[in-house]
Amino acid sequence: MKQFLFLFVFALTTSFVQSQENLPTDYLTKEFHQGRREAFRNLMPANSAAVVFSYPERVFSKDVNYNYHANPDMYYLTGYKEPDAVLLLFKEPQGTEKYTEVLFVRERNAQKETWTGRRLGIEGAKSKLGFTKVYNGKDFNTFEIDFKKFDKIIYDNIPTDVEASKNIDNLYSLLQSFKTKAGIIAEDKASVDLFNNITNSLREIKTPEELVVMRKTVKLSCIAHNEVMKAVGPDMSENEADGIHAYVHRHYGAEGEGYPPIIGAGGNGCILHYNDNNATKIDNQLLLMDVGSEYHGYSADVTRTIPANGKFTEEQKAIYQIVYEAQEEVFKLCKEGTPIQDLNKRSKEVVAAGLIKLGIITDPKDARIYYPHGCSHFLGLDVHDKGNYMGTLKENMILTVEPGIYIPANSKCDKKWWNIGVRIEDDILMLKDSYENLSADSPRKWQDIEALAKQKSTFNDMKFPKI
């Protein structure tokens, strides 16, 4: 009887972990990932092998992990989103089977899947990801491959903080086995550089399939920004504004945010990567919101700076307008052929001239005191995506344009400017002779922001019990 119950429970468990309905239907296709592997292989030198590892899991608290985030390069090349995996790519066909790729995945385990979620396994990787040669991670130890026969082994930085484990199929074991097979004692910088050169070259240009996802993640981020513009008030907390963004993102199916949201009121907005988001009242200050959703692995990156009471003061408006004009000037350069470094250079020139005109600085070099960061970065699978920053703009690159001015309290200028922090950030798709502002759905002009602030938000009518 006990044996029957065990088999019955096991059958239920197995059935449960194998079935899931109502999943999104707009993930990138297996054909997309196959195409990316082929593009990677085309850039590999003769007689070479590439090795790509999954990211490790990270502990959140005691025996609870953070939500797992896949290695963007692994996801880009395979579509695989689980830990404890390794991908092998070969320039030339290998063995009698003439294979050019092998994927090692986390083994299926009905008991563990009941606790921590479904696993794709070997058959899932074949049917859903399009691989033909797939093994469980534990088989990597005995997989017959002589890495030493290749002229070049291409791999990314090997993580050094992966927890040692006796499990023969976890990431630590995969890394150790690779080092042994390849005879690696210390990382080969040339191998890592080559890996980055290839992935930079591929990922800086977005394919049509990627552009569909990027348009969606940016658009829903704009909707979230607009909703906060309508809902915000002096009594709102930074955390509440953060929560509106999160709700809107998830309403449209985003998995989360592409980076920790920056929701800074007043002086907090002058901290570039402020993410405490815990001021209980915004008061009659500017609210700087740097928040972008992550949709199916792709991140938006949109920043808007708004007055909590719906009206810019004259000082706030003056600083805001300099940042806006810097953006407008940089947009004029956004087309194929422009050196990427020119975007930052032009934004610095406009900000410096504006600050001099207001009497905040007298020397253009001092603009860096109030504008200490760059103007642009690549955007995609990472919020600071891969790409060649010393190159020129190319069609279908996506970069941010994000000038800013930050004047914290006790700055060496008239105190009427203190605690004004302004950043405006948009996600720009480069075209042949022009550009497309993917985040144009969220207003940038101060007049348009004030107009939107007069509209009512869905969130204005939400009432919760007091505690």
Side-chain angles (χ1 to χ4, degrees), residues 89-108:
L89 295 175
F90 304 98
K91 179 68 173 183
E92 295 86 10
Q94 303 293 306
T96 56
E97 301 172 72
K98 301 299 180 183
Y99 60 88
T100 57
E101 56 190 29
V102 186
L103 181 65
F104 295 85
V105 300
R106 191 179 235 192
E107 187 173 12
R108 296 211 64 187

Side-chain angles (χ1 to χ4, degrees), residues 185-299:
I185 300 174
E187 278 188 2
D188 178 11
K189 184 178 182 300
S191 295
V192 174
D193 287 346
L194 180 54
F195 180 87
N196 286 324
N197 289 341
I198 293 174
T199 51
N200 286 351
S201 176
L202 293 176
R203 284 175 52 184
E204 71 178 6
I205 306 295
K206 301 303 183 281
T207 68
E209 299 95 329
E210 289 178 289
L211 289 177
V212 171
V213 184
M214 283 300 303
R215 290 181 191 280
K216 185 161 188 176
T217 192
V218 175
K219 186 176 183 64
L220 68 91
S221 297
C222 289
I223 294 172
H225 276 276
N226 293 354
E227 206 59 42
V228 178
M229 288 185 196
K230 293 185 287 185
V232 72
D235 290 335
M236 180 180 283
S237 69
E238 292 175 345
N239 200 30
E240 188 177 358
D242 190 348
I244 292 175
H245 282 278
Y247 180 87
V248 173
H249 293 168
R250 283 154 182 77
H251 173 78
Y252 288 102
E255 289 80 2
E257 288 68 53
Y259 52 96
I262 300 167
I263 310 282
N268 293 338
C270 297
I271 302 171
L272 300 184
H273 285 173
Y274 171 81
N275 52 42
D276 289 338
N277 302 346
N278 58 3
T280 57
K281 285 187 178 182
I282 300 171
D283 288 329
N284 293 310
Q285 303 179 100
L286 290 180
L287 180 67
L288 188 155
M289 305 182 295
D290 186 340
V291 192
S293 83
E294 183 181 289
Y295 190 87
H296 298 351
Y298 286 79
S299 179

